[in-house]
Amino acid sequence: EPNHDNIMKALEWLVDGVQSGDALFLHFSGHGVQVVDEDGDEPSGYDQAMVPLDYKTKGPIVDDNIFLTVVKPLPEGNTLNTKPQTPNPNP
């Protein structure tokens, strides 16, 4: 079930045990939205976000959280390829 907790667990699983030189691939096919950037790190004023099944109670998964979960923990020398497929009405 693509709810908030399961998506976050899958993102954590992706980087669990990764070592320098590993290549990772992240594919997300689902809904995406733009939400107001609350920490001021986006020039546009908006964060990109995944919309989990339970977004009404858990909220969207913003790109800042994805970065902290997937990108920041990677050791130097990794390759991360992503392929998000999200119909976003706000290009």
Side-chain angles (χ1 to χ4, degrees):
E1 183 171 293
N3 62 38
H4 186 280
D5 291 345
N6 286 343
I7 292 171
M8 291 304 298
K9 286 177 191 172
L11 294 175
E12 292 165 0
W13 169 86
L14 180 65
V15 298
D16 184 43
V18 72
Q19 298 177 10
S20 182
D22 288 347
L24 307 172
F25 180 76
L26 171 62
H27 177 259
F28 175 78
S29 182
H31 290 283
V33 294
Q34 291 182 321
V35 295
V36 174
D37 175 27
E38 296 187 10
D39 64 4
D41 68 331
E42 300 287 348
S44 68
Y46 294 94
D47 279 312
Q48 305 302 312
M50 295 177 178
V51 180
L53 194 61
D54 56 352
Y55 74 94
K56 288 183 180 179
T57 57
K58 295 272 190 154
I61 301 172
V62 298
D63 57 4
D64 295 341
N65 291 342
I66 297 167
F67 176 83
L68 292 173
T69 304
V70 177
V71 179
K72 191 169 182 174
L74 293 177
E76 192 171 323
N78 289 97
T79 302
L80 172 63
N81 292 294
T82 62
K83 180 155 177 74
Q85 293 179 315
T86 58
N88 183 348
N90 305 314

